[in-house]
DNA sequence: AAGACCGTAACTCTTTCGGGTGACCGTCGT
DNA sequence: ACGACGGTCACCCGAAAGAGTTACGGTCTT
């Protein structure tokens, strides 16, 4: 029974990862956790063959979780996940005993290849790879205009105000809005803003 | 000329910190940065007497920034800022040479006391303190109901839907909405959701 | 005891949104 | 060269949202 534990605090990324990992040949079960504490709890109950874990998590951070996990079970295989702009945590995690890491902007295929390899070879270590975040569960790709409109929304501006700001007619803003809603799967602007934050499209 | 550099990726927290630090006796200048790269850039130009820096930042993380800062100038005084649920990064940062850290949920007074002490005594180290985030620049305090409503909004639900979900009338939901808008200073629900994310009230 | 919040709810009125649809133009890739 | 896509704009329409106001009972603090 080959099982993999996926841990990421972003529900969206978590689901995307879960789905991607589930397609790896040989993987029969994928469990998920939202933070380090949850990983440790699950690990106490039933041990997975491999753990994919985000470096940056609220609560117990990735690095410390790796330490605790390995002090409990030195054989645990852990691969860290990271966004492009967070290389220090990865280095620390690998130094702490993680087997390797994956950039979140790597391809789904690379993710699967890495997981396959890690599962096949218990001694596997490192070999960094990339993966386009667009492919790790379809991160929505917004155009520059759409992001500008989304940002305007996140600052509480009306369509008319956004239009004035960007020298566009309100109707044009509405068009961009409708298109970005569709891309994000948002039902309204509040939802769109939330998804923008969850996907890291706006801050 | 006593100057302090404040670094936090959250614009809201950054401003709050800036204002709090500016009230410390003896501090004549407070500069800000949004990430590690910016800190290093500023540091190259003009060195502050003290740096307050968030552990968790996009881009160059707090830990690595501490390392680079200290390798350039071993005398740099750095205090890390952290949220309650992120203790590993602090330990690493302190191990890397930071003088101490502050919980973001400490009081404004404690923040000021720590800064005062760090500025007065160049050899000062550690002495962790706390500080209520509510006081570090007036983090809005929403009631449980208001947060539930805000969360509903972040999931794209209409007021009527939120009402059905919480067994409330739509009118009541609208009342909670209006109240939370006022607390957050939001102009509409999209703005409220954005502020909720920025303040860490919703995920 | 008085006041300050909070949770609940209703009513009105105006503004904004979001869907649907269509259209023109430019660019880029095939 | 054709088609897909993005940016621009317009019009209609019904459904929400948001502002303003009022109200009543509960809890908690002063």
């Amino acid at each position: 029974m080959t099982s993999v534990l996926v841990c990421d605090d972003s529900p969206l990324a978590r689901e995307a990862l879960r789905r991607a990992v589930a397609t790896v040949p040989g993987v029969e079960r994928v469990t998920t956790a939202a933070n380090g504490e949850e990983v440790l709890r699950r690990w106490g109950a039933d041990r997975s063959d491999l753990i994919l874990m985000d470096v940056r998590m609220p609560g117990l951070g990735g690095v410390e979780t790796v330490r605790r996990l390995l002090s409990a079970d030195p054989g645990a295989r852990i691969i860290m996940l990271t966004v492009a702009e967070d290389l220090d945590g990865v280095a620390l995690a690998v130094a702490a005993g993680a087997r390797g890491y994956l950039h979140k902007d790597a391809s789904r295929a690379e993710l699967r290849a890495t997981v396959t390899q890690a599962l096949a070879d218990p001694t596997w270590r490192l070999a960094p790879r990339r993966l386009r975040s667009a492919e790790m569960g379809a991160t929505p790709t917004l155009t520059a205009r759409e992001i500008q409109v989304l940002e305007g929304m996140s600052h509480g501006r009306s369509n008319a105000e956004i239009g004035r700001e960007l020298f566009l007619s309100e109707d044009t803003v509405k068009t961009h809005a409708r298109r970005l809603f569709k891309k994000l799967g948002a039902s309204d602007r509040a939802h769109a803003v939330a998804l923008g934050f969850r996907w890291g499209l706006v801050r």
Side-chain angles (χ1 to χ4, degrees), chain A residues 24-47:
Chain A
V24 174
V27 172
E28 288 148 281
R29 199 167 53 107
V30 181
T31 52
T32 61
N35 54 57
E37 287 83 359
E38 209 176 325
V39 168
L40 294 175
R41 246 184 287 122
R42 285 192 191 289
W43 192 255
D46 66 321
R47 332 217 132 176

Side-chain angles (χ1 to χ4, degrees), chain A residues 40 55 78 86 94 103 136 146 157 170 172-173 188 197:
Chain A
L40 294 175
V55 172
I78 308 164
D86 188 9
V94 171
H103 276 219
M136 65 160 279
E146 287 163 350
R157 304 200 225 293
E170 183 182 347
T172 301
V173 174
D188 57 42
F197 272 91

